[in-house]
């Protein structure tokens, strides 16, 4: 494997998740194929910025979003920094590269009414899949976990006695998230349904398909999209929007920004602050309705 030292560096030194490492390697392989095809070289370490630039132009012309291109270039830049660190190159060809401009997307969270409509009024079937789907939605909204974090949950991730959930986040950073009583109740119901499955291949994994194998990310997306299509007209209906809703609703109710940061598993407050724009509108309403001089 040509990139094994780099893979070990990402996993062991940088502590990146296996999913992130897989994405980085995929970008490197695609770039390697490009330079082999265009410049007839197998040595990615010896390319120059103009050659990299021609790859970026190709990606742009292919219609790939600037945000995705920046991520691919970032993976390549990390690789060159690694080569620089171990002494395989003297100059990082991407040292002076400027990221492509991206438009800031405003993610519109679900309203409390829309979420209540799904959790309180949706007709979840009393079956393995019905109870599983309800638990997935409750977990997203009550803990704010990421989709990949949910997929990777194990039976041992839950402490039923303490009503807590152990989540393995980005860079393998662990965090403990409290569970609401209603979620614990649904969890117990799901575990009983899970025990009745005819066969289970992935014994340690919490969320399974009805065939007893580990649930996958596209299925999780489809579950959220299907249920919220019944209650919301928003264009984007995804697990991330539920995570966004979790953070926004907590902040609207006066939760401390640092506390929300810890619950979300963010490494910095800057990442959490993107959720505050919705809360500002709520604060303005409170300010106007309650300040003594607002009517003057």
């Amino acid at each position: 494997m040509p990139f094994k030292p780099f893979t070990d560096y990402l996993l062991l030194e940088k502590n990146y998740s296996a999913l992130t490492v897989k994405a980085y390697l995929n970008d490197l392989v695609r770039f390697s194929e490009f330079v082999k095809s265009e410049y007839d070289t197998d040595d990615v370490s010896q390319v120059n910025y103009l050659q990299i630039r021609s790859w970026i132009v190709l990606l742009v012309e292919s219609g790939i979003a600037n945000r995705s291109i920046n991520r691919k270039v970032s993976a390549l830049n990390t690789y060159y920094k690694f080569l620089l660190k171990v002494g395989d190159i003297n100059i990082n060809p991407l040292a002076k590269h400027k990221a492509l401009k991206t438009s800031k997307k405003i993610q519109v969270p679900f309203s409390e009414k829309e979420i209540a409509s799904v959790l309180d009024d949706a007709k979840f079937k009393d079956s393995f899949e019905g109870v599983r789907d309800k638990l997935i939605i409750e977990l997203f909204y009550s803990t704010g976990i990421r989709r990949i974090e949910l997929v990777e949950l194990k039976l041992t991730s839950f402490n039923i006695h303490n009503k807590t959930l152990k989540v393995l986040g980005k860079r393998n950073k662990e965090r403990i998230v409290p569970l609401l009583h209603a979620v614990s109740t649904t969890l117990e119901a799901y575990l009983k349904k899970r025990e009745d499955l005819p066969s289970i291949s992935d014994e340690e994994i919490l969320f399974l398909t009805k065939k007893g194998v580990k649930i996958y990310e596209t299925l999780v997306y489809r579950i959220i999209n299907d249920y919220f299509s019944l209650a919301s007209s928003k264009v984007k209906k995804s697990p991330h929007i539920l995570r966004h809703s979790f953070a926004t609703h907590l902040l609207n109710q006066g939760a401390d920004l640092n506390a929300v940061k810890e619950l979300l598993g963010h490494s910095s407050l800057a990442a959490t602050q993107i959720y505050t724009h919705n809360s500002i509108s709520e604060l303005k309403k409170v300010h106007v309705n309650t300040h003594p001089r607002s009517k003057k």
Side-chain angles (χ1 to χ4, degrees):
M1 183 179 180
F3 300 117
K4 189 174 188 310
F6 179 56
T7 302
D8 292 340
Y9 166 73
L10 294 179
L11 288 170
L12 303 176
E13 284 197 46
K14 300 293 285 183
N15 205 24
Y16 284 4
S17 70
L19 196 71
T20 299
V21 173
K22 183 180 178 181
Y24 273 43
L25 291 179
N26 184 59
D27 290 332
L28 275 175
V29 169
R30 297 286 86 78
F31 178 68
S32 299
E33 292 171 350
F34 169 78
V35 295
K36 174 65 176 175
S37 171
E38 294 296 316
Y39 301 104
D40 195 27
T41 177
D42 294 313
D43 194 350
V44 177
S45 67
Q46 298 305 310
V47 302
N48 58 45
Y49 180 67
L50 287 178
Q51 291 170 322
I52 298 174
R53 183 72 185 173
S54 66
W55 176 60
I56 295 173
V57 169
L58 177 67
L59 295 176
V60 171
E61 290 176 346
S62 299
I64 298 174
N66 284 4
R67 192 178 301 274
S68 296
I69 294 173
N70 286 340
R71 182 188 59 75
K72 293 175 184 297
V73 175
S74 176
L76 195 58
N77 190 32
T78 302
Y79 179 60
Y80 285 123
K81 285 181 179 178
F82 165 73
L83 294 180
L84 203 61
K85 184 175 182 178
V86 298
D88 284 353
I89 60 174
N90 297 318
I91 297 174
N92 178 355
L94 282 167
K96 295 183 179 180
H97 173 74
K98 291 184 179 180
L100 302 179
K101 289 184 179 181
T102 58
S103 57
K104 289 188 176 180
K105 295 180 181 178
I106 297 178
Q107 301 280 5
V108 181
F110 297 120
S111 67
E112 292 182 36
K113 184 178 179 181
E114 286 172 329
I115 290 175
S117 176
V118 171
L119 288 176
D120 298 338
D121 302 329
K123 300 297 185 284
F124 293 99
K125 293 180 180 179
D126 185 27
S127 62
F128 167 77
E129 289 183 318
V131 177
R132 179 200 64 190
D133 294 354
K134 183 180 182 183
L135 178 59
I136 285 173
I137 294 170
E138 286 184 340
L139 270 178
F140 275 132
Y141 183 56
S142 65
T143 67
I145 61 176
R146 300 176 178 93
R147 176 168 46 167
I148 185 60
E149 292 171 345
L150 180 133
V151 168
E152 296 296 332
L153 286 177
K154 296 178 172 58
L155 291 173
T156 54
S157 300
F158 288 91
N159 186 317
I160 299 292
H161 178 70
N162 291 330
K163 289 186 170 55
T164 56
L165 172 66
K166 185 192 298 180
V167 182
L168 189 62
K170 289 185 175 181
R171 301 191 179 185
N172 293 323
K173 183 180 178 182
E174 264 188 11
R175 67 184 187 278
I176 304 296
V177 182
L179 287 178
L180 298 177
H181 176 72
V183 180
S184 296
T185 301
T186 308
L187 171 62
E188 291 176 1
Y190 168 71
L191 291 176
K192 289 178 182 177
K193 298 286 186 185
R194 185 182 181 280
E195 288 175 2
D196 294 334
L197 288 175
S199 66
I200 296 178
S201 300
D202 298 297
E203 289 282 355
E204 64 176 14
I205 297 297
L206 175 69
F207 285 112
L208 306 172
T209 70
K210 62 183 179 181
K211 293 182 180 179
V213 298
K214 182 179 178 181
I215 202 168
Y216 47 97
E217 288 193 65
T218 51
L219 175 56
V220 174
Y221 177 89
R222 195 158 66 239
I223 288 168
I224 301 305
N225 187 71
D226 287 351
Y227 279 98
F228 278 87
S229 290
L230 303 174
S232 175
S233 59
K234 290 181 174 63
V235 174
K236 192 78 178 286
K237 296 177 279 289
S238 68
H240 182 72
I241 298 299
L242 264 179
R243 175 175 162 86
H244 187 23
S245 305
F246 163 80
T248 301
H249 296 171
L250 282 180
L251 291 168
N252 284 349
Q253 295 297 324
D256 177 70
L257 190 63
N258 270 303
V260 176
K261 166 185 168 288
E262 293 301 317
L263 289 169
L264 290 171
H266 283 157
S267 57
S268 69
L269 270 180
T272 313
Q273 285 171 335
I274 63 170
Y275 299 111
T276 61
H277 72 275
N278 294 290
S279 303
I280 293 299
S281 63
E282 293 296 319
L283 286 174
K284 284 181 178 178
K285 290 178 187 176
V286 172
H287 188 251
V288 168
N289 292 332
T290 60
H291 195 279
R293 297 188 64 81
S294 64
K295 302 297 188 291
K296 292 183 180 293

